[in-house]
Amino acid sequence: MSWYRNTAWFVKGLREYTRGGYESASKHFNPADVEVDVGGRSFLVTGSNSGIGKATAKEIARRGGTVHLVCRNKERAQVAKEEIVTETGNQNIFLHIVDISNPKEVWKFAEKFRNEHKLNVLINNAGCMVNNRELTEDGLEKNFATNTLGTYILTTALLPLLEKEADARVITVSSGGMLVQKLNISDLQSEKGTFDGTMVYAQNKRQQVVLTEQWAKAHRNIHFSVMHPGWADTPAVRSAMPDFYEKMKNSLRTEAQGADTVVWLAVSAEATKLPSGLFFQDRQPVTTHLPLASTHSPPEDEEKLMEVLEEFSQKFRYSSPG
């Protein structure tokens, strides 16, 4: 059953995740938080050729940041880069073509990037929702490969670079859909039972929350956060969730509204006054569990997730070309 049919989740979503929810929350925003100059700081945004990733990259570029766009499709990425440069006047926009679902490619990119650039802020935005079980060329289930393993490898590979900088941050774009999922480490590649793409995606997003919490404990010099952008009108939502889009299209947030909290987490001084490892929605930390939901996991499961991902990561690192 798709997550938006979960009653508690859907009622919460109608109240908070729609455009109306954003407009209500934004009445309490302090505009000065994001009226900052980030010239001289370097930002890497994955999945930045469209949707929330592109909106985020554009807002950071407007504020003078050096922006590295990490995208899978070269043609669409080039168009996005040109649009960002034209609209912002910022020439410090760099393009990298990487398929986040390919762990060897992620490793190769990250190791090259470490040798050539500095990095202050990593924004893990790239994601996918494949509604039928597909395997990558490495035999990995595609949602897991992109949303969880790709995010894990890119982040851990770039941590040494981030550790060198003051006020380093890692922001991961998750989803409130994770509220309907408890961490399940026994079936990371969705091999058991009937495959439901929306539930697999939600499980991956729960995994991203756990990753953020674990990284925050292990790396005290970096500020980690994970966030829910609300229900936004993006190309990904239109293609992956057509029924949901048709039902909700008149109430969805704009891409810029969906990106607002990402930008706030990336550039504001206020964000890092809050503890590392929290889950955010509309510039506020929020709970990662619905009331009465049995979604809490024992610490050993969360530690096991990190161990398994590290094993995967090292396996593909040593087979990485170049």
Side-chain angles (χ1 to χ4, degrees):
M1 182 173 65
S2 295
W3 73 51
Y4 58 88
R5 298 194 188 105
N6 177 289
T7 304
W9 151 254
F10 194 53
V11 169
K12 179 179 176 67
L14 287 173
R15 186 175 66 248
E16 299 178 20
Y17 301 162
T18 56
R19 187 168 58 246
Y22 174 83
E23 290 167 352
S24 176
S26 66
K27 292 175 184 175
H28 306 287
F29 293 172
N30 181 359
D33 286 358
V34 292
E35 290 172 358
V36 295
D37 183 344
V38 292
R41 284 175 66 77
S42 175
F43 300 76
L44 189 156
V45 187
T46 66
S48 43
N49 67 286
S50 68
I52 288 166
K54 185 172 76 171
T56 298
K58 193 177 291 183
E59 290 305 315
I60 291 169
R62 288 191 208 283
R63 291 160 175 78
T66 295
V67 184
H68 294 273
L69 310 174
V70 174
C71 307
R72 182 171 56 87
N73 184 287
K74 186 175 182 179
E75 291 72 27
R76 289 202 295 266
Q78 190 62 47
V79 170
K81 176 187 172 181
E82 291 170 4
E83 179 185 322
I84 292 168
V85 170
T86 299
E87 290 192 19
T88 68
N90 187 336
Q91 299 294 323
N92 293 318
I93 312 299
F94 301 94
L95 187 56
H96 310 271
I97 305 304
V98 186
D99 183 350
I100 299 294
S101 74
N102 184 323
K104 294 188 287 290
E105 202 173 303
V106 175
W107 265 120
K108 184 178 180 181
F109 161 73
E111 290 176 343
K112 184 172 187 289
F113 190 91
R114 276 200 320 233
N115 292 327
E116 297 177 355
H117 304 281
K118 76 166 196 171
L119 184 63
N120 298 96
V121 181
L122 169 62
I123 299 171
N124 291 309
N125 167 72
C128 77
M129 183 194 296
V130 177
N131 288 311
N132 295 300
R133 191 172 186 274
E134 292 180 23
L135 300 183
T136 68
E137 62 184 41
D138 296 299
L140 300 168
E141 191 277 313
K142 193 166 186 179
N143 293 293
F144 168 78
T146 306
N147 303 325
T148 302
L149 184 59
T151 297
Y152 178 87
I153 293 176
L154 184 64
T155 303
T156 53
L158 293 178
L159 285 175
L161 200 55
L162 289 158
E163 293 275 10
K164 296 177 182 178
E165 303 296 332
D167 189 18
R169 310 182 190 191
V170 175
I171 300 130
T172 300
V173 179
S174 181
S175 167
M178 66 88 196
L179 290 167
V180 304
Q181 285 284 308
K182 177 181 179 179
L183 178 65
N184 177 12
I185 58 170
S186 68
D187 190 24
L188 290 177
Q189 301 214 53
S190 309
E191 297 171 284
K192 303 173 184 175
T194 302
F195 187 90
D196 182 332
T198 54
M199 286 296 105
V200 172
Y201 178 83
Q203 173 63 210
N204 296 160
K205 295 300 170 177
R206 169 63 70 185
Q207 291 160 5
Q208 290 178 342
V209 170
V210 173
L211 289 178
T212 298
E213 293 168 347
Q214 294 297 310
W215 284 326
K217 292 176 187 175
H219 304 277
R220 302 288 186 176
N221 295 331
I222 301 172
H223 190 271
F224 292 87
S225 55
V226 60
M227 60 79 67
H228 174 40
W231 293 342
D233 186 351
T234 65
V237 167
R238 294 184 187 196
S239 62
M241 303 175 66
D243 293 345
F244 173 79
Y245 173 75
E246 282 301 316
K247 183 182 183 74
M248 298 298 301
K249 62 184 178 182
N250 295 325
S251 302
L252 297 177
R253 298 180 177 201
T254 66
E255 293 170 347
Q257 290 171 342
D260 176 81
T261 295
V262 189
V263 176
W264 182 83
L265 288 166
V267 307
S268 77
E270 294 303 307
T272 54
K273 292 178 182 177
L274 294 162
S276 182
L278 298 181
F279 181 69
F280 287 83
Q281 174 189 315
D282 291 332
R283 303 192 189 184
Q284 292 290 327
V286 293
T287 183
T288 56
H289 300 279
L290 288 171
L292 307 179
S294 302
T295 52
H296 293 269
S297 301
E300 53 267 30
D301 281 6
E302 298 179 355
E303 292 163 9
K304 181 66 175 176
L305 174 68
M306 304 303 282
E307 292 171 11
V308 171
L309 292 177
E310 182 62 17
E311 289 171 10
F312 268 118
S313 172
Q314 293 305 317
K315 170 187 171 184
F316 289 110
R317 180 181 190 179
Y318 294 125
S319 61
S320 177

